[in-house]
C-alpha cells in the first residue's frame, strides 16, 4: 500500500506523481495544505522533519526527498523502467536528477518572489512572517525574508536566473541527441523537470527558454503531450490558481525576461 503526502501545486510532489503515473502505480493521496501551514503539523513532521512535501509511505516504510522517492519507485516497480539498465546510463540520469534539487530551490525563489510575496502583501504585516517563520532550515527562512523584502528585485532572483540559464544551455546541448535528456528513452531525468517547467510557465516565464533554446521548447512540448502531464500535474491544480498565477505574474514578466537576458551573459 502506497500513501503519498502531497500538495495540489507543489512541484516536488508533482515530480513523484509523474513517476507514479508513468508506471501506472495506484496510491492513496493525502493533501497537505501548504498555505494553511499543515506541513508544520507535529504529526506530519514526524514523517518529514523538513516540513515539506512529498512524503511517501510504502507498507509502513517512510521515504522523503522527491529524487530519492523516484529512484525507490523505479527500483521497486521496475516496469516500465525509467532508468537505463547499465551503470553508466544510470549515472547520466543521476547527474540530471541531482541537479534538479538545486533547480527546485531556484523554482521556489521565482514562485516566492512573483506569487507568494504578492499574496502575502495583501495580509497584515504581522501575518506575513507566519508563512515562513516555522521553516526548520535557517537559510531557507532567510531567503524568504529577503524575498518578502525585495521581491523580484532581490539578488537571489538573479542567482536563480543564472541557474536556469546554465540548465537550459546544458539541456539544449544534450537534446541534440534526444528526443529525451539522456537519449532515446524518457527517464527520471525528464520526469523530474516537467513540473518545474510547468511552474515557470504558470509564472509566465516560458519565454526564458522559448526565446533562446528551441530544443528545450520542443522537449517540453513532448513532455506535455504525455498522458502523465494531465493526470499528474494539470488535474491537481485548482482552477482558481491559474488566474491567480496569471494576474500576479503578468506585471513582472518583462522585467524578469530582461533580467534573464543579463543572466545569460554570465552563463
Ligand atoms: N528537496 C525536497 C524539497 C521539497 C520541498 O521544498 N517541497 C515544497 C513544495 S515543492 C514544500 O513542501 N514547501 C513547504 C513550504 O513552502 O513551507 C524534495 O525534493 O522533496
Amino acid at each position: 500500500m502506497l500513501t503519498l503526502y502531497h500538495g495540489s501545486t507543489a512541484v516536488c510532489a508533482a515530480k513523484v506523481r509523474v513517476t507514479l503515473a508513468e508506471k501506472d502505480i495506484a496510491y492513496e493521496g493525502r493533501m497537505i495544505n501548504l498555505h494553511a501551514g499543515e506541513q508544520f503539523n507535529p504529526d506530519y513532521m514526524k514523517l518529514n522533519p523538513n516540513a515539506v512535501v512529498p512524503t511517501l509511505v510504502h507498507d509502513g516504510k517512510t521515504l522523503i526527498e522527491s529524487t530519492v522517492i523516484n529512484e525507490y519507485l523505479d527500483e521497486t516497480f521496475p516496469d516500465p523502467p525509467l532508468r537505463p539498465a547499465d551503470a553508466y546510463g544510470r549515472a547520466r540520469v543521476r547527474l540530471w536528477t541531482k541537479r534538479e534539487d538545486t533547480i527546485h530551490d531556484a523554482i521556489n525563489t521565482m514562485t516566492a518572489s512573483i506569487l507568494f510575496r504578492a499574496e502575502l502583501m495583501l495580509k497584515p504585516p504581522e501575518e506575513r512572517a507566519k508563512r515562513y517563520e516555522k521553516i526548520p532550515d535557517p537559510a531557507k527562512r532567510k531567503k524568504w525574508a529577503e524575498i518578502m523584502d525585495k521581491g523580484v528585485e532581490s539578488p537571489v532572483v538573479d542567482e536563480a536566473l543564472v541557474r536556469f540559464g546554465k540548465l537550459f544551455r546544458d539541456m539544449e546541448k544534450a537534446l541534440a541527441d534526444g528526443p529525451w535528456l539522456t537519449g532515446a528513452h524518457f527517464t527520471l531525468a525528464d520526469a523530474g523537470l516537467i513540473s518545474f517547467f510547468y511552474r515557470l510557465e504558470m509564472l509566465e516565464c516560458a519565454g526564458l527558454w522559448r526565446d533562446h533554446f528551441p530544443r528545450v521548447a520542443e522537449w517540453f512540448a513532448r513532455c506535455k503531450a504525455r498522458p502523465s502531464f494531465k493526470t499528474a500535474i494539470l488535474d491537481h491544480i485548482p482552477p482558481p490558481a491559474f488566474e491567480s498565477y496569471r494576474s500576479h505574474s503578468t506585471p513582472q514578466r518583462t522585467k524578469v525576461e530582461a533580467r534573464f537576458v543579463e543572466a545569460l551573459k554570465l552563463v
Side-chain angles (χ1 to χ4, degrees):
M1 152 98 173
L2 281 166
T3 306
L4 179 70
Y5 293 82
H6 59 148
S8 52
T9 56
V11 291
C12 288
K15 195 172 139 182
V16 172
R17 288 198 305 258
V18 168
T19 302
L20 290 164
E22 288 285 341
K23 289 174 173 286
D24 201 16
I25 303 171
Y27 65 96
E28 185 190 306
R30 302 248 176 100
M31 278 291 170
I32 300 292
N33 185 336
L34 299 178
H35 293 289
E38 288 178 6
Q39 67 275 38
F40 304 117
N41 178 323
D43 280 340
Y44 181 67
M45 285 183 71
K46 279 184 201 146
L47 294 174
N48 191 323
N50 300 330
V52 291
V53 290
T55 302
L56 184 77
V57 181
H58 182 207
D59 293 338
K61 297 175 294 241
T62 303
L63 292 121
I64 62 170
E65 289 296 327
S66 56
T67 300
V68 175
I69 295 173
N70 275 353
E71 282 197 13
Y72 174 84
L73 287 172
D74 198 45
E75 276 172 30
T76 314
F77 303 90
D79 189 28
L82 290 179
R83 287 173 308 165
D86 65 299
Y88 181 63
R90 284 201 301 278
R92 286 180 64 229
V93 168
R94 198 171 291 123
L95 265 184
W96 289 105
T97 58
K98 180 173 186 282
R99 187 173 188 177
E100 278 160 19
D101 289 336
T102 67
I103 296 299
H104 171 255
D105 182 53
I107 296 285
N108 173 268
T109 295
M110 299 313 289
T111 314
S113 59
I114 295 175
L115 179 79
F116 297 158
R117 181 175 188 268
E119 287 175 347
L120 284 175
M121 284 302 163
L122 302 173
K123 298 192 172 183
E126 61 280 9
E127 284 286 309
R128 288 176 205 155
K130 285 192 183 150
R131 173 63 184 85
Y132 57 90
E133 67 192 1
K134 288 190 201 153
I135 291 176
D137 178 4
K140 221 167 135 186
R141 277 201 308 274
K142 196 170 156 214
K143 186 183 91 170
W144 267 82
E146 152 91 20
I147 286 172
M148 289 310 123
D149 188 29
K150 302 202 182 82
V152 293
E153 305 300 337
S154 161
V156 295
V157 169
D158 293 311
E159 286 164 24
L161 293 173
V162 169
R163 229 176 262 179
F164 292 140
K166 288 184 177 160
L167 174 75
F168 300 156
R169 175 202 62 191
D170 294 346
M171 288 178 72
E172 187 74 5
K173 195 165 163 234
L175 289 165
D177 303 320
W180 304 108
L181 283 174
T182 53
H185 300 287
F186 180 89
T187 69
L188 291 182
D190 307 284
L193 282 171
I194 304 173
S195 62
F196 293 1
F197 272 70
Y198 192 57
R199 167 63 59 79
L200 287 177
E201 189 170 288
M202 284 182 77
L203 291 169
E204 307 230 337
C205 291
L208 304 193
W209 65 84
R210 268 192 219 141
D211 297 347
H212 308 273
F213 302 97
R215 284 198 282 260
V216 175
E218 286 159 18
W219 165 86
F220 188 47
R222 279 192 290 278
C223 290
K224 286 169 86 178
R226 297 179 78 85
S228 61
F229 176 69
K230 182 176 180 313
T231 46
I233 299 180
L234 265 193
D235 287 355
H236 291 264
I237 300 175
F242 292 101
E243 174 52 21
S244 178
Y245 272 75
R246 197 202 54 75
S247 64
H248 292 306
S249 305
T250 305
Q252 310 290 353
R253 180 178 170 162
T254 314
K255 200 187 306 175
V256 171
E257 286 180 351
R259 297 262 292 280
F260 183 64
V261 170
E262 290 307 306
L264 279 180
K265 293 178 187 160
L266 304 173
V267 164

